[in-house]
Each structure stands twice: as structure tokens, then as C-alpha cells.
């Protein structure tokens, strides 16, 4: 399974947006936690990435910050406590004019329903990447195109901005893997749990039980359940439900298949059982989710946060 492609398909069910921000106030900016995933790319100047618990990280032009699951953070010229930074004001505001200490491009997928993919939530909350643009000229070109789109007035940004966000996120995740020699999955260092996850991903329609999953990887039920929850962050059956409903959300967005057909594709024997589970997880019915359009946050909206 192509992990990064699956991640992109999952975050696409939310609203995509981008914004160019010029920081003219040395007090910095704080971005509140949100449901989804996003990134910042420093275009000019230097700043520090501030989080609640970790040490500040210095950023320069070209550096990328990936907010894998929407954790609160801040950017500032001189390090200070996150709580001391003024919160970013949301709304359709163009970049500030005048001399700026630093300038950065934001992009984000906001999920009105559900959560960021489990893969992204398994990564560190905030990831700083220093891409090698000589080896990866595509990322530089994509960043330039995204910056031009969010600051320009050309028609068609409703199509181009989400597509560019997808491509930038793909490149950032590739860079992260290259820098850390990462496995295909964050939990691949536990072969048995990785095998169980692979079984779920490849055949979500199968009526899996904890006993079946543990037997398939050769572990006792109790040991398997404990290791799965420790490695993945949720119990096996909870993960199975999340994966099934995440796939269902993609199918609802990407196809016009009847709800009964989607229910069967993701492992539910009846449309009623599927609808009840979907509502518990996403806070809305499958039909309501399908009817809710995916919105573009806008060139000058909050976009990245």
C-alpha cells in the first residue's frame, strides 16, 4: 500500500486552504490547536518554532514545519513561552505591508468531521524539515507556485490551491522519510503489529476480531492487544473502526456509490449499522457528510491556521 497516497486521500476530505503571512510584529504569532494537518514554509528571514514543551527550533528560509495533527505552536523572532505569543487572527486578511522580520507560507487541511489520519498522528506533533532544494527542485517549484496562487488574483485557485497543497505535503513527507531513513509506517519496527495493520488495511471488509488478528500474527490475544494499543495508540477494534470509516469518508467524497454499497465495501453488513457507526465517529450521517461540500479556505483566509 502506498502510505503517502492514502494520507493525501484521507486529508482531502477536509477543507484545504493557504495563506501568505508577513510578520511585522516582533511579538510573534501563536497558532491554536485545530483538527487536521498543516504546514509552514519560511520564505524570508529567520524565526523560532515554539511549542508547549519542547525546546525552540531555529528556522531559516526554505525550512518547513509540518503540524502533523494540528498541535498548538508559535513562530517568533526571539524565543519566548508559547502562552506569551499573541494568537493568530483568523479571517480574510491580506499579507501585512511594510518591513517584515520574516515571511512564511501556510497550508492546511481542516477536518470538520473526524480526525487526522492515524499515520500523521503517530508522527511527532511538530516536525521541522530542512529540504535539500538542489536534490528536490520540485518542492521549490511547488512552493513558488503556491505562493503565487495565494497572493495573486488569477481565476481557478479553487482547483489549483488544493492540488498544490497535496503535492507540497507529499514532498515534505518524502523529505521527512529521507532525513530519518524512516520505514513505510511509523510502527514498522514491530513486525507483528505492522502485519496486523497490513491485514486490516488490505481487507477491511473481513469481520475481524481481536482473536483473528492475534492468531494471524502468532501472538497471544492479551499480549497482542497490549502491544497494539502501545504501538498504534488505540486498541485493535477501535483502529479497525477508524480505518473502515476513514475509507468510507473517502468513498463518500470520491464516488456516488449507494450507501449500502459503501457499507459493504468497508465491512458493515447493513446500511443502518454503517450509518450509526459513521455518525458516532464523524458527528454527522453519511448522507449529510456527502452533501457537505469540501470548501477552499481562500487565498487570504486563515488557510494555514
Amino acid at each position: 500500500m502506498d502510505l503517502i497516497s492514502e494520507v493525501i486521500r484521507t486529508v482531502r476530505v477536509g477543507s484545504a486552504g493557504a495563506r501568505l503571512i508577513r510578520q511585522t510584529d516582533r511579538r510573534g504569532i501563536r497558532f491554536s490547536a485545530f483538527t487536521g494537518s498543516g504546514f509552514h514554509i519560511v520564505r524570508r528571514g529567520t524565526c523560532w518554532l515554539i511549542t508547549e514543551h519542547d525546546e525552540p527550533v531555529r528556522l531559516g528560509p526554505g525550512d518547513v514545519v509540518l503540524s502533523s495533527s494540528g498541535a498548538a505552536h508559535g513562530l517568533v523572532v526571539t524565543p519566548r513561552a508559547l502562552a506569551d505569543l499573541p494568537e493568530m487572527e483568523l479571517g480574510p486578511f491580506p499579507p501585512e505591508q511594510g518591513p517584515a522580520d520574516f515571511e512564511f507560507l501556510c497550508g492546511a487541511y481542516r477536518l470538520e468531521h473526524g480526525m487526522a489520519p492515524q499515520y500523521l498522528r503517530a508522527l511527532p506533533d511538530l516536525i521541522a524539515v530542512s529540504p535539500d532544494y538542489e536534490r528536490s527542485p520540485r518542492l521549490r517549484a511547488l512552493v513558488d507556485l503556491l505562493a503565487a496562487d495565494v497572493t495573486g488574483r488569477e481565476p481557478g485557485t479553487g482547483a489549483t490551491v488544493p492540488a498544490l497543497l497535496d503535492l507540497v505535503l507529499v514532498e515534505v513527507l518524502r523529505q521527512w522519510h529521507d532525513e530519518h531513513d524512516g520505514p513505510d509506517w511509523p510502527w514498522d519496527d514491530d513486525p507483528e503489529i505492522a502485519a496486523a495493520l497490513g491485514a486490516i488495511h488490505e481487507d477491511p471488509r473481513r469481520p475481524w476480531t481481536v482473536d483473528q488478528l492475534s492468531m494471524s500474527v502468532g501472538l497471544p490475544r492479551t499480549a497482542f492487544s497490549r502491544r497494539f494499543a502501545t504501538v498504534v495508540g488505540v486498541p485493535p477494534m477501535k483502529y479497525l473502526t477508524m480505518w473502515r470509516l476513514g475509507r468510507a469518508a473517502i468513498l463518500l467524497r470520491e464516488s456516488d456509490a449507494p450507501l449500502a454499497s459503501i457499507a459493504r465495501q468497508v465491512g458493515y453488513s447493513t446500511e443502518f449499522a454503517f450509518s450509526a457507526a459513521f455518525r458516532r465517529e464523524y458527528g454527522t450521517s453519511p448522507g449529510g457528510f456527502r452533501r457537505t461540500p469540501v470548501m477552499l479556505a481562500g487565498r487570504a483566509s486563515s488557510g494555514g491556521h
Side-chain angles (χ1 to χ4, degrees):
M1 175 178 292
D2 183 346
L3 165 67
I4 292 178
S5 294
E6 286 299 308
V7 168
I8 297 300
R9 291 183 72 197
T10 303
V11 296
R12 269 196 201 133
V13 303
S15 300
R19 179 181 179 182
L20 183 69
I21 297 176
R22 303 180 73 251
Q23 180 56 32
T24 60
D25 186 340
R26 295 183 67 87
R27 294 182 302 161
I29 304 174
R30 172 167 50 89
F31 301 96
S32 298
F34 71 104
T35 302
S37 301
F39 58 79
H40 306 299
I41 302 172
V42 180
R43 299 279 288 167
R44 294 183 180 85
T46 60
C47 60
W48 292 83
L49 169 65
I50 307 297
T51 62
E52 189 172 0
H53 302 294
D54 297 326
E55 291 295 316
V57 176
R58 189 176 187 276
L59 304 171
D63 286 346
V64 180
V65 174
L66 174 63
S67 177
S68 55
S69 53
H73 59 283
L75 298 174
V76 66
V77 173
T78 303
R80 65 187 66 183
L82 181 62
D84 294 338
L85 303 181
E87 186 171 1
M88 178 69 192
E89 186 176 4
L90 304 182
F93 304 119
E96 295 183 40
Q97 301 301 310
D101 293 304
F102 59 93
E103 176 182 295
F104 57 100
L105 186 65
C106 295
Y109 302 85
R110 289 183 172 272
L111 301 176
E112 290 80 10
H113 307 285
M115 297 181 292
Q118 183 70 20
Y119 166 76
L120 291 178
R121 287 185 281 125
L123 296 177
D125 289 339
L126 279 303
I127 295 171
V129 180
S130 297
D132 184 343
Y133 287 97
E134 295 301 320
R135 293 179 55 192
S136 182
R138 289 176 301 185
L139 181 56
R140 184 182 298 280
L142 290 169
V143 171
D144 289 343
L145 285 170
L146 183 58
D149 256 23
V150 300
T151 56
R153 297 182 179 274
E154 298 295 326
T157 55
T160 58
V161 167
L164 288 169
L165 288 180
D166 290 351
L167 293 170
V168 170
L169 182 56
V170 167
E171 290 296 326
V172 171
L173 289 172
R174 286 173 175 170
Q175 290 277 343
W176 165 254
H177 279 283
D178 288 346
E179 285 188 12
H180 293 80
D181 194 23
D184 288 338
W185 293 91
W187 36 78
D188 265 0
D189 55 355
D190 190 317
E192 288 79 16
I193 300 306
L197 288 165
I200 291 172
H201 298 161
E202 294 299 329
D203 192 7
R205 289 180 289 187
R206 182 171 173 176
W208 291 108
T209 65
V210 176
D211 285 334
Q212 290 174 336
L213 286 168
S214 63
M215 289 174 60
S216 73
V217 299
L219 289 176
R221 185 183 193 279
T222 301
F224 168 75
S225 296
R226 183 168 56 248
R227 275 172 59 179
F228 192 103
T230 299
V231 172
V232 180
V234 294
M237 291 298 98
K238 174 62 176 176
Y239 183 86
L240 173 62
T241 298
M242 292 167 58
W243 181 262
R244 285 172 167 171
L245 296 178
R247 299 294 301 170
I250 293 171
L251 291 170
L252 288 166
R253 290 291 195 212
E254 296 183 351
S255 78
D256 57 0
L259 297 186
S261 173
I262 292 176
R264 290 192 298 271
Q265 290 183 61
V266 298
Y268 288 88
S269 58
T270 68
E271 182 180 332
F272 176 80
F274 164 60
S275 296
F278 193 92
R279 184 182 291 276
R280 284 194 298 270
E281 186 75 13
Y282 283 80
T284 187
S285 68
F289 182 87
R290 171 175 269 171
R291 290 190 296 272
T292 303
V294 176
M295 302 298 292
L296 174 66
R299 286 193 302 262
S301 72
S302 60
H305 294 293

